[in-house]
Amino acid sequence: MPQIWMTYDELAALTGCSAAEARTQALHRSLDRRKSRDGNTRVKLDFALMTRFFETIREAEFGLDDAITALRETHRQMSVASDQERRGMAPVRRSGSSRLGSNQA
């Protein structure tokens, strides 16, 4: 199981309360706490809080999913237009000026 550590401010944002209330909540839930090198105290989320955290990520990913869908649709439209252009034009052939694989000094 992954470990997710958050500052009191991050935990407050997750639970919809103040940082002081998040600290009290961490103490009440007996969450592991550690002082980080940056000077902030972080708490390790329990299963219930991790579940809530993952739910918020999933909710935020809907915008990402919409963006990916829009990009795929744009790509499809560009591919169709490119195919139509190719059908209307003669293929361009390059004469034997390619020197791939030859050693040049």
Side-chain angles (χ1 to χ4, degrees), residues 5-64:
W5 293 78
M6 291 187 163
T7 65
Y8 291 125
D9 288 332
E10 293 167 336
L11 182 59
L14 178 66
T15 58
C17 64
S18 70
E21 291 169 326
R23 183 179 183 281
T24 302
Q25 192 178 86
L27 291 170
H28 177 71
R29 289 176 173 239
S30 299
L31 299 177
D32 291 339
R33 296 175 294 148
R34 290 192 183 155
K35 193 93 158 178
S36 297
R37 282 186 255 169
D38 63 4
N40 291 318
T41 299
R42 287 187 164 68
V43 295
K44 184 172 123 180
L45 302 186
D46 60 12
F47 183 76
L49 288 171
M50 276 198 301
T51 302
R52 185 183 290 181
F53 174 70
F54 290 134
E55 286 172 0
T56 60
I57 290 174
R58 282 190 200 109
E59 289 171 4
E61 285 183 356
F62 285 130
L64 181 60

